[in-house]
Amino acid sequence: MQKLLCSIFLFVILVSCKKGETAITPSLETISQSVYVSVTVQPDSLYEAFASVNGILESNLVTEGTIVKNGTPLFQIINSNTKLNTENARLAYNLAQKNYSGNTALLLSIRDEIKAAELKLINDSINFFRQKNLWEKSIGSKAQFDAKQLEYQLSKNTVASIKNKYQRTKNELETQLNQASNTYQNSVITTGDYTVTSKMNGKVYALYKNPGEIVNPQLPLAMLGSEDNFILELLVDEVDIVSISNQQKVVVTLDAYPNQIFLAVVSKIYPNKDERNQTFKVEAKFENPPKTLYPGLSGEGNIIISVKENALTIPTEYLFDKNKVNTKTGIVVVTTGVKSDDKIEILSGITSESKLLKPNVE
């Protein structure tokens, strides 16, 4: 009998100890709710350089890691025919300039014709008016007067015609000059298309083609980006994107820097969803970047969407059926608020004095 009583007493003690270990009370603390994201480091203003023409790559003018300025030549594409066309266009343009300047034989000869015709006009004018005076005094014949008048009129017409010819020729030469200029400028632009240049101040991070390979406007030749400024590309699940806004804090860990935490701020939200993985791309900027970064470094992050101080919280494992807790006095329905990975805020239903038991999981 004594042995049985000892056994019952020991059982009661063990049960009491077990209940004491699992009973907890809610705590007042700061709780934050966050959205998990995957993280990739990329240079700011990252872009891929493309050729605007088809051809064969003649030479890479830079290497990976080269620091470039806006306009720095990156690639040269073979363009022998284009160079010849540009040279021919230049020669045609120079000839058109000389023709239009008025110092060529063409316009000089027309000016000489004008001078000769004007001298003849002066002579015919003198003869005509002399004959006219004589005719008014009834001296000479009507035939002589008509002949001098005809010569004078023909000389006037000749001068006017040659002047029109000069102006017409000059206009034609001006048109030819403009056409030659346009052709030459177009050839220069076309030649320039065979030299791919940088569109920014930055760094060459990758070259995709080697000399001798075929290039076209559909395939990139290089990847360039900022030399010093890096951003974080975050992939946010579509169910969480509505909770994200600019200036939210991001807590980041990078695989290359284990045991270190970096802070960032959301700076841009892309509105287009990637149908392949059902995510949205979000950009963030470092607040405390590490000294050394490379494109493609990966990691994880949490975007803080809400923070509440002095919140009444319990471990999430003590909540069941979404809104119920098990207390020493029975099951109680509660109202929840902010939720973190392991804690959840309780808005009503229990107090900081409530004794909670871990629910039985079957």
Side-chain angles (χ1 to χ4, degrees), residues 164-195:
N164 288 336
K165 176 183 176 183
Y166 178 86
Q167 190 60 46
R168 185 172 62 254
T169 302
K170 186 177 181 181
N171 291 339
E172 290 174 353
L173 292 176
E174 183 179 10
T175 300
Q176 292 174 7
L177 175 62
N178 291 333
Q179 290 175 340
S181 176
N182 292 338
T183 301
Y184 177 56
Q185 293 299 324
N186 184 65
S187 296
V188 170
I189 293 173
T190 302
T191 300
D193 289 340
Y194 284 81
T195 301

Side-chain angles (χ1 to χ4, degrees), residues 12 24 97-98 122 148 236 238 265 308 336:
V12 171
I24 66 168
Q97 279 185 313
K98 291 179 181 179
I122 293 173
K148 298 299 181 180
V236 181
E238 63 175 331
V265 178
K308 190 169 184 180
T336 59

